[in-house]
Amino acid sequence: MTKGKLDWQMDEQQNGKAPLSLQNVHVSYATRRGKVQAVRNVTLDLHAGESLALIGESGSGKTTLGLAIVRLLPETAQIEPGAIFYRRNGREVDLLKLDRNEMREFRWRDCAMVFQAALNAFNPVLKIWAQAWDTAKAHGWHDKEAVRRRLVELLEFVQLDPKRVIDAYPHELSGGMRQRVLLALSLLLNPQVLILDEPTTALDIITQRTIIKLLRKLKEDQGFTMIFISHDLAIAAELADRVATMYAGRIVELGASEDIFYRPRHPYTLGLIRAVPTVTGGFEQLFSIPGSPPDLIDLPTGCKFHPRCTFATDRCKVEEPELEEVGPGHTAACWHWQKVEEELRRNPLHRGVLSVLEAVSFNEEAVS
Amino acid sequence: MAPILEVRNLTKKFGKGKETVTAVDSVSFAIEPGETVCLVGESGCGKSTTGRMVAGLLEPTSGEVLFEGKNIKELDSTGFRRYRQSVQIIHQDPYASLNPTQTVRQILTAPLLRHNKVKNRADAEARALELLEVVDLTPARDMIDKYPHQLSGGQRQRVAVARALTVEPKFIVADEAVSMVDVSIRVSILTMLSRLKEQFHVTFLFITHDLALAKYFAWEGRITVMYLGRIVEDGPTQRLITDPRHPYTQALLSAVPEADPELAHRKRQIELREAEIPSLLNLPPGCTFHPRCPYFVPGQCDRQVPALEPLDVGGRVACPVRKHEHVPLLV
Ligand SMILES: Nc1ncnc2c1ncn2[C@@H]1O[C@H](COP(=O)(O)OP(=O)(O)OP(=O)(O)O)[C@@H](O)[C@H]1O
Ligand SMILES: Nc1ncnc2c1ncn2[C@@H]1O[C@H](COP(=O)(O)OP(=O)(O)OP(=O)(O)O)[C@@H](O)[C@H]1O
Ligand code: SF4
Ligand SMILES: [Mg+2]
Ligand SMILES: [Mg+2]
């Protein structure tokens, strides 16, 4: 379907630079009450072919960061300071310096964002075919037959019956079908990077699984580079190679999926993990994170998590920690990450194979 | 022990003529005092409709609801009022159920006074403060003068629980009670609800589409799985999630995303024959899961509605084809 994987990986091998690099990105919204600091100081490299999940509570800035990359933020938003470098075929551009037209080109051909499958992600009066045709035309693709062939191919890829879907209006489709149509449309112009915002939220379990399988196929067979945005940790565990935890607009921990889920070093990440149960794993006592997220207009001093953190000391109240290395390819922004490590040694997480074994041993007892 | 609540062949149809849907179809179960039962299943399978009939908010088309051994249809008006107080329901969206023009004080003292649970205003106020402590809305003195819009989603849900407690219920139907609350505070609400089980001997019917929550909340209790209006399987939670027998339960458990990368990648992948769920307006004959079921036996599954039969490992299952087969979910 695409040859994405190859040009990308060669690119990164040749110049040693990630295709997408965010440097010191800040986003704020102007409101009557004041400036909402939705994203602060985000520095991040997205590697070719990898999938990265952004997790965190509601309001932590996940969607804002996604919108900043494709520059679809509302007028009241300001991206400053910061730079977002995009590299392809030896060229490098700062997305924040592109003009409106250049950005529009980038948006579908290089990077597409898939919004939650709400009806309002579509134009309600256009049939699916018309939505695709409009998009294609807007990008100078006028070969109707070819566009149609591509759309049919993509609808088949997302396991929809093109005959049934192509002439349907969005409201005639179920939530799961709409999400798959959006995914197909986002692939129309062969982008290299996909940003998916809450790709499975509000869908039924079995439909969620269909979407997860499709996304895995995109990743594994087509080598797409993807960013998943979700408040649901399970989506990160299912799909991500790396996970970034966001809190109050900042990335507070970043690491391989296994590191984040089994060896978290930031108290907030640990709190999130201890708050969600698994289904087929063993039983584990869960805990809430005390308090609630901060007011982004009037942020706390020091570490923004300190009012809710059980590890906090006086230092945390005045000095804000930066991301530091806590293991290979694993960073966390916490003065006391070693204490989190100690805490996990005292009270390990019952996750992974261990919890599987617990569940199985229960099962054998039940059977015997 | 005698069940506190029992439903027999509970059925609810909506609509007329060709447009009739059977939202709940011959559902039978019994819940013992102190037991926690979770009702799970996908959107539209009839969970809320069942919950509303249990709470006496919706009249069944046919079938019975028995509370403390008595058929609620046969209660006199005093008896019916007492039953309606004993069974309280907590909804998903507390914002919709709390009057926005009333303070927490009014929301809590009004039912206390109306149902003569207290002698006077001063006692009502004291009781309201106590209830706020019970649901962990502290300091209670600061909370009591707030309006719903001044509270977070989690705090509003706590107010809804406190209000349900004013009438000293014995049974609470919690319908997606924490589904709209952020994960980070969900657990504290569940813990608070669990405490009510012990502190006030409240029995719970916990309705959720989230299997992970069901497992956590009803770990010592039972899970009942519904599909298109019928119960397809139920049983002790720990059995049901490690040894599900109905192909639909297996499909659900294998499909549910896991917040654990290893589990996520070791789940058995179950391929359904058909991805889309049938419409209630056009239900398949026999076992309604048969068009999607990987174990479909032509001539059997599409002819006869399978009975919900007891299982040797605990609970009941409505699948004669697979009832004896153990399918490990992790591979
Ligand atoms: N257009 C806007 N004007 C003002 N503030 C905004 C705007 N959009 C978002 N915000 C605020 O910016 C912060 C970050 O919002 P964002 O939508 O990025 O969070 P999120 O992590 O995606 O949350 P959710 O999980 O709820 O989708 C929030 O405090 C939000 O209220
Ligand atoms: N008042 C009503 N009139 C007509 N149909 C109804 C009514 N209430 C529910 N239904 C239908 O009955 C079926 C079962 O609905 P119910 O709300 O019980 O499902 P549910 O399992 O609670 O779903 P969800 O997880 O989405 O809350 C659905 O098809 C629904 O559309
Ligand atoms: S009765 Fe048959 S069709 Fe229904 S679930 Fe069992 S095996 Fe599948
Ligand atoms: Mg968002
Ligand atoms: Mg419901």
Side-chain angles (χ1 to χ4, degrees):
Chain A
M1 192 173 73
T2 67
K3 51 177 178 44
K5 192 171 186 168
L6 289 178
D7 9 322
W8 272 100
Q9 289 189 337
M10 269 169 9
D11 239 35
E12 191 168 2
Q13 276 161 12
Q14 274 165 14
N15 58 25
K17 283 187 175 166
L20 194 65
S21 299
L22 280 67
Q23 278 171 19
N24 191 29
V25 172
H26 290 70
V27 183
S28 59
Y29 295 103
T31 69
R32 260 181 299 160
R33 222 161 52 80
K35 210 161 106 177
V36 177
Q37 296 177 272
V39 168
R40 293 182 308 122
N41 193 17
V42 168
T43 295
L44 180 71
D45 276 347
L46 188 68
H47 302 289
E50 85 165 335
S51 60
L52 173 88
L54 294 177
I55 59 172
E57 275 163 293
S58 184
S60 55
K62 308 179 297 294
T63 299
T64 303
L65 188 57
L67 291 173
I69 296 172
V70 290
R71 300 258 313 269
L72 283 176
L73 288 162
E75 302 248 305
T76 54
Q78 191 185 17
I79 318 185
E80 203 187 55
I84 303 178
F85 293 105
Y86 175 75
R87 305 182 182 98
R88 187 176 190 176
N89 302 330
R91 280 190 309 133
E92 177 182 282
V93 288
D94 179 353
L95 297 179
L96 301 183
K97 299 217 167 84
L98 295 186
D99 67 25
R100 207 174 258 267
N101 284 332
E102 290 167 325
M103 200 55 216
R104 225 177 50 188
E105 282 293 292
F106 168 80
R107 210 172 286 138
W108 287 80
R109 286 190 192 287
D110 293 292
C111 179
M113 183 147 172
V114 184
F115 297 95
Q116 205 174 313
L119 265 176
N120 59 19
F122 290 95
N123 182 338
V125 299
L126 290 187
K127 291 181 178 175
I128 301 306
W129 158 247
Q131 319 238 356
W133 179 227
D134 276 5
T135 306
K137 275 189 303 194
H139 287 85
W141 191 9
H142 294 289
D143 179 350
K144 211 167 185 165
E145 273 315 300
V147 175
R148 204 171 176 98
R149 270 199 308 277
R150 172 88 181 141
L151 181 62
V152 166
E153 179 192 52
L154 290 168
L155 289 172
E156 277 167 358
F157 175 77
V158 299
Q159 287 165 28
L160 289 171
D161 177 4
K163 284 199 290 296
R164 211 181 130 195
V165 170
I166 216 161
D167 289 316
Y169 289 100
H171 69 87
E172 294 172 330
L173 305 172
S174 72
M177 291 166 91
R178 284 204 291 270
Q179 185 63 289
R180 280 178 281 166
V181 170
L182 279 182
L183 193 58
L185 288 175
S186 73
L187 299 175
L188 192 70
L189 298 180
N190 228 342
Q192 304 302 308
V193 180
L194 271 182
I195 301 176
L196 299 112
D197 194 3
E198 306 285 359
T200 64
T201 303
L203 298 177
D204 262 327
I205 294 171
I206 290 179
T207 316
Q208 286 193 28
R209 177 56 54 188
T210 315
I211 305 282
I212 290 172
K213 280 188 189 161
L214 276 174
L215 293 172
R216 281 194 180 155
K217 206 158 76 173
L218 272 182
K219 174 178 144 52
E220 277 149 30
D221 302 353
Q222 317 284 341
F224 268 93
T225 308
M226 297 195 265
I227 300 181
F228 297 102
I229 295 174
S230 187
H231 69 281
D232 183 358
L233 296 194
I235 295 310
E238 291 277 348
L239 290 166
D241 302 318
R242 284 199 301 158
V243 179
T245 313
M246 286 190 78
Y247 188 76
R250 282 193 83 164
I251 291 179
V252 295
E253 183 161 10
L254 175 64
S257 185
E258 278 74 16
D259 283 335
I260 297 295
F261 280 93
Y262 305 141
R263 292 173 289 279
R265 292 293 177 257
H266 195 284
Y268 179 63
T269 313
L270 177 62
L272 283 179
I273 289 167
R274 283 211 167 135
V276 286
T278 58
V279 181
T280 37
F283 184 79
E284 185 170 22
Q285 195 58 51
L286 301 179
F287 303 92
S288 277
I289 304 174
S292 46
D295 180 354
L296 298 181
I297 292 176
D298 186 17
L299 283 167
T301 54
C303 171
K304 305 306 171 238
F305 188 57
H306 88 254
R308 305 173 73 186
C309 184
T310 47
F311 297 89
T313 59
D314 285 344
R315 183 182 193 187
C316 308
K317 293 180 192 159
V318 286
E319 271 182 87
E320 184 162 25
E322 294 296 324
L323 282 171
E324 67 173 286
E325 187 158 346
V326 298
H330 184 183
T331 53
C334 171
W335 296 124
H336 301 304
W337 63 267
Q338 285 98 341
K339 288 203 190 127
V340 178
E341 189 174 11
E342 279 165 37
E343 157 65 18
L344 281 171
R345 232 174 287 137
R346 273 193 309 269
N347 297 306
L349 292 166
H350 297 282
R351 299 276 157 139
V353 184
L354 185 66
S355 83
V356 176
L357 293 177
E358 284 167 6
V360 169
S361 74
F362 163 78
N363 206 24
E364 279 162 2
E365 276 165 39
V367 170
S368 64
Chain B
M1 222 189 292
I4 180 167
L5 180 110
E6 190 175 351
V7 300
R8 293 186 188 150
N9 295 317
L10 201 61
T11 298
K12 182 71 196 180
K13 294 181 196 276
F14 290 112
K16 287 204 189 85
K18 266 200 165 157
E19 298 287 292
T20 306
V21 296
T22 307
V24 174
D25 190 1
S26 304
V27 160
S28 301
F29 57 81
I31 303 177
E32 312 254 294
E35 212 182 4
T36 298
V37 175
C38 276
L39 202 52
V40 303
E42 291 173 282
S43 182
C45 71
K47 304 181 295 294
S48 297
T49 306
T50 304
R52 295 179 62 210
M53 289 192 283
V54 163
L57 298 175
L58 188 71
E59 197 168 342
T61 307
S62 61
E64 278 112 52
V65 177
L66 288 85
F67 186 70
E68 296 185 317
K70 295 195 196 85
N71 187 335
I72 62 164
K73 263 192 284 191
E74 289 157 14
L75 295 173
D76 60 17
S77 61
T78 325
F80 191 76
R81 213 176 314 126
R82 205 174 303 136
Y83 148 73
R84 282 289 303 274
Q85 281 183 31
S86 299
V87 182
Q88 290 292 309
I89 192 161
I90 299 167
H91 294 283
Q92 167 166 354
D93 181 6
Y95 210 57
S97 66
L98 298 176
N99 184 336
T101 65
Q102 291 187 337
T103 60
V104 172
R105 173 185 282 106
Q106 290 166 308
I107 290 169
L108 297 182
T109 55
L112 286 168
L113 292 164
R114 186 168 39 196
H115 298 295
N116 299 318
K117 297 290 178 190
V118 289
K119 286 201 229 57
N120 52 41
R121 292 214 154 261
D123 285 1
E125 167 110 7
R127 180 76 186 129
L129 288 169
E130 260 173 47
L131 287 173
L132 288 175
E133 302 270 346
V134 167
V135 297
D136 299 329
L137 268 179
T138 50
R141 292 230 159 265
D142 296 347
M143 292 294 169
I144 199 160
D145 288 312
K146 299 215 169 173
Y147 287 93
H149 71 89
Q150 294 171 311
L151 301 171
S152 71
Q155 290 174 327
R156 286 199 287 266
Q157 198 56 284
R158 291 174 198 274
V159 173
V161 174
R163 184 181 57 181
L165 292 176
T166 55
V167 292
E168 296 160 21
K170 296 176 183 166
F171 193 97
I172 290 182
V173 178
D175 190 353
E176 306 281 4
V178 295
S179 301
M180 278 173 60
V181 176
D182 231 323
V183 280
S184 60
I185 48 172
R186 227 175 241 182
V187 181
S188 62
I189 296 186
L190 292 181
T191 309
M192 180 267 289
L193 293 176
S194 294
R195 215 172 50 218
L196 302 180
K197 289 191 237 173
E198 271 109 63
Q199 216 174 336
F200 300 99
H201 308 288
V202 178
T203 305
F204 274 94
L205 178 63
F206 188 85
I207 297 177
T208 179
H209 66 278
D210 184 335
L211 289 167
L213 279 186
K215 164 201 166 184
Y216 184 73
F217 192 69
W219 182 247
E220 307 287 345
R222 282 190 295 141
I223 292 181
T224 299
V225 185
M226 287 182 77
Y227 182 68
L228 293 171
R230 294 182 193 152
I231 295 178
V232 293
E233 180 163 6
D234 70 3
T237 301
Q238 298 173 39
R239 192 281 293 168
L240 193 124
I241 60 164
T242 52
D243 186 14
R245 294 294 169 94
H246 198 284
Y248 177 65
T249 316
Q250 292 168 359
L252 268 187
L253 287 169
S254 86
V256 64
E258 294 280 6
D260 180 326
E262 249 169 35
L263 293 187
H265 289 91
R266 289 180 56 162
K267 274 284 188 71
R268 172 183 298 273
Q269 301 286 316
I270 295 180
E271 295 295 332
L272 295 182
R273 296 191 303 130
E274 162 69 48
E276 297 291 320
I277 190 163
S279 151
L280 280 178
L281 280 169
N282 191 12
L283 281 183
C287 167
T288 49
F289 189 57
H290 87 255
R292 308 174 79 190
C293 180
Y295 307 103
F296 168 58
V297 180
Q300 178 182 351
C301 301
D302 49 358
R303 293 236 173 109
Q304 238 170 343
V305 177
L308 196 55
E309 288 173 352
L311 275 175
D312 49 355
V313 289
R316 303 173 294 173
V317 71
C319 177
V321 179
R322 301 289 298 173
K323 67 185 279 192
H324 299 298
E325 307 294 328
H326 170 66
V327 176
L329 285 174
L330 294 162
V331 288

